[in-house]
Amino acid sequence: MIKELSGQINKYFIGKEEIVKNVLICLLSGGHVLLEDVPGVGKTTLAKTLSKSIDSSFGRIQFTPDTLPGDILGVNVYNAKKQEFEYKEGIISNQLILADEINRTSPKTQSALLEAMAEGQTTIDGVVHKLPDPFMVIATQNPIEFMGTYPLPEAQLDRFMMKLSIGYPGEESEIQMAQNFADGLSIEDIKPVCTTKDIIKAKKDVEKIHISNELITYARSIIDYTRNEEKISLGASPRALLNLIRASQALAYINQRDFVKPDDIKEVAVNVLHHRVMLSSEAKISRENVDELLLWLIGKADVPTEK
């Protein structure tokens, strides 16, 4: 199923196989994805293609400075005929949410997503509303240097399992993209290759992938290095460790293994961690690269030997 799903997405979202694989890792892990890049590189195409391929309900909200929490979560509206309040669902009630340009809205509106992303539920006027399963937020943001943006706070960033950057396509991929456009190949023509029930089952299978205590300790040592590195002022959170473990299980599942290897942890570690750590002022001044620093820290951790 995963091979067919990946193949279909790559047919419409061309030349970014690694990005697609990481998004599927997040989907199978019950995680969320933050896509940061310049406009027009296919972030929306990726989200829509994924939604149609798994036959999920899809909601898209364009964040602007005047977007309100109720636009996302829904509101209670008074029904004069019944003389009672009725809950009108917001965009959050869909299975896959595209939160477009999330850093263009105010921190108050950004925070409306926190409970939903962490607990799979929303609370409106004291009443808890469960969200569907699977539930996934794919958020996009412009680089923080762009005008009119509000940087996401650490608590919001920590809700995302991975932060990915798509980048411009290669020459062959861009030509193929243009050819598909000229031929009229449309996302609207996509047929599902699986259902959300299949995804739910796959998520349960991922949770059963074996990860040894030694590998959990190895993953935790990587997290600990981020907390004790002088070039990092804010290290990775306990949630980062849980996400690192689950993402490595999902990667093993995609690779058709029933156990996690150290290489699985190494492969997903940077994408899971780089938005969760904050460089010190000195490191920023010396223009340290977060990914390179993380790779160095990952290399310092003692890899458990296979028994």
Side-chain angles (χ1 to χ4, degrees), residues 95-127:
Q95 292 170 311
L96 196 150
I97 309 297
L98 175 60
D100 214 1
E101 296 186 305
I102 189 173
N103 61 335
R104 282 200 180 279
T105 197
S106 67
K108 179 179 181 180
T109 303
Q110 290 175 9
S111 66
L113 288 168
L114 292 178
E115 181 184 11
M117 294 174 67
E119 302 174 41
Q121 65 180 38
T122 59
T123 304
I124 310 295
D125 294 341
V127 178

Side-chain angles (χ1 to χ4, degrees), residues 65-85:
D66 61 350
T67 302
L68 299 174
D71 298 329
I72 304 168
L73 304 180
V75 293
N76 283 322
V77 178
Y78 185 70
N79 186 322
K81 187 175 182 179
K82 295 182 178 179
Q83 296 187 337
E84 62 183 23
F85 283 91

Side-chain angles (χ1 to χ4, degrees), residues 179-186 189:
Q179 185 62 59
N180 289 349
F181 175 77
D183 292 341
L185 187 66
S186 172
D189 299 329

Side-chain angles (χ1 to χ4, degrees), residues 122-170:
T122 59
T123 304
I124 310 295
D125 294 341
V127 178
V128 174
H129 301 274
K130 289 291 184 181
L131 295 175
D133 188 18
F135 172 73
M136 183 180 192
V137 174
I138 297 181
T140 75
Q141 72 169 6
N142 296 321
I144 57 174
E145 294 82 5
F146 276 36
M147 294 290 291
T149 57
Y150 300 82
L152 297 182
E154 290 76 15
Q156 181 78 67
L157 287 171
D158 200 38
R159 259 63 171 191
F160 290 100
M161 173 170 275
M162 289 187 182
K163 176 185 173 185
L164 306 172
S165 179
I166 295 174
Y168 290 113

Side-chain angles (χ1 to χ4, degrees), residues 12-300:
Y12 291 84
F13 184 68
I14 301 168
K16 298 293 178 180
E17 289 79 7
E18 279 300 308
I19 295 293
V20 172
K21 181 170 73 172
N22 281 305
V23 169
L24 291 179
I25 286 172
C26 292
L27 174 66
L28 296 174
S29 303
H32 310 286
V33 181
L34 179 62
L35 302 175
E36 181 182 88
D37 225 313
V38 296
V41 293
K43 301 185 289 289
T44 302
T45 298
L46 173 59
K48 285 186 174 181
T49 304
L50 174 60
S51 175
K52 284 185 170 293
S53 296
I54 65 173
D55 198 23
S56 72
S57 59
F58 178 77
R60 178 185 183 276
I61 183 165
Q62 178 67 49
F63 283 95
T64 58
D66 61 350
T67 302
L68 299 174
D71 298 329
I72 304 168
L73 304 180
V75 293
N76 283 322
V77 178
Y78 185 70
N79 186 322
K81 187 175 182 179
K82 295 182 178 179
Q83 296 187 337
E84 62 183 23
F85 283 91
E86 294 180 344
Y87 172 58
K88 299 297 183 182
E89 294 182 343
I91 203 76
I92 201 73
S93 299
N94 290 284
Q95 292 170 311
L96 196 150
I97 309 297
L98 175 60
D100 214 1
E101 296 186 305
I102 189 173
N103 61 335
R104 282 200 180 279
T105 197
S106 67
K108 179 179 181 180
T109 303
Q110 290 175 9
S111 66
L113 288 168
L114 292 178
E115 181 184 11
M117 294 174 67
E119 302 174 41
Q121 65 180 38
T122 59
T123 304
I124 310 295
D125 294 341
V127 178
V128 174
H129 301 274
K130 289 291 184 181
L131 295 175
D133 188 18
F135 172 73
M136 183 180 192
V137 174
I138 297 181
T140 75
Q141 72 169 6
N142 296 321
I144 57 174
E145 294 82 5
F146 276 36
M147 294 290 291
T149 57
Y150 300 82
L152 297 182
E154 290 76 15
Q156 181 78 67
L157 287 171
D158 200 38
R159 259 63 171 191
F160 290 100
M161 173 170 275
M162 289 187 182
K163 176 185 173 185
L164 306 172
S165 179
I166 295 174
Y168 290 113
E171 180 181 356
E172 291 184 5
S173 298
E174 195 160 14
I175 290 173
Q176 182 62 53
M177 188 187 310
Q179 185 62 59
N180 289 349
F181 175 77
D183 292 341
L185 187 66
S186 172
I187 296 176
E188 303 306 318
D189 299 329
I190 293 177
K191 304 297 183 186
V193 298
C194 64
T195 67
T196 52
K197 289 184 179 180
D198 296 322
I199 298 300
I200 292 171
K201 182 181 183 303
K203 285 172 61 180
K204 292 178 179 178
D205 291 339
V206 165
E207 294 173 1
K208 297 175 183 177
I209 298 294
H210 176 71
I211 179 167
S212 66
N213 289 335
E214 291 80 9
L215 284 181
I216 292 176
T217 301
Y218 170 59
R220 199 269 170 185
S221 68
I222 293 173
I223 299 295
D224 195 51
Y225 273 119
T226 70
R227 298 170 181 168
N228 294 285
E229 170 55 46
E230 62 181 11
K231 295 180 181 179
I232 295 176
S233 60
L234 178 66
S237 66
R239 182 184 284 116
L241 174 60
L242 303 183
N243 281 184
L244 182 56
I245 290 171
R246 186 69 80 223
S248 65
Q249 290 175 300
L251 179 57
Y253 177 85
I254 288 174
N255 290 331
Q256 299 182 325
R257 274 185 280 105
D258 60 0
F259 62 94
V260 174
K261 301 196 301 186
D263 286 347
D264 296 322
I265 296 175
K266 290 180 181 178
E267 185 172 336
V268 300
V270 171
N271 287 332
V272 170
L273 298 178
H274 59 179
H275 59 294
R276 289 182 156 102
V277 300
M278 182 182 296
L279 292 177
S280 65
S281 299
E282 294 78 7
K284 290 178 181 177
I285 292 172
S286 60
R287 297 184 180 277
E288 289 281 350
N289 182 284
V290 175
D291 289 0
E292 291 178 0
L293 180 58
L294 285 172
L295 286 171
W296 176 67
L297 293 176
I298 293 167
K300 287 177 64 176

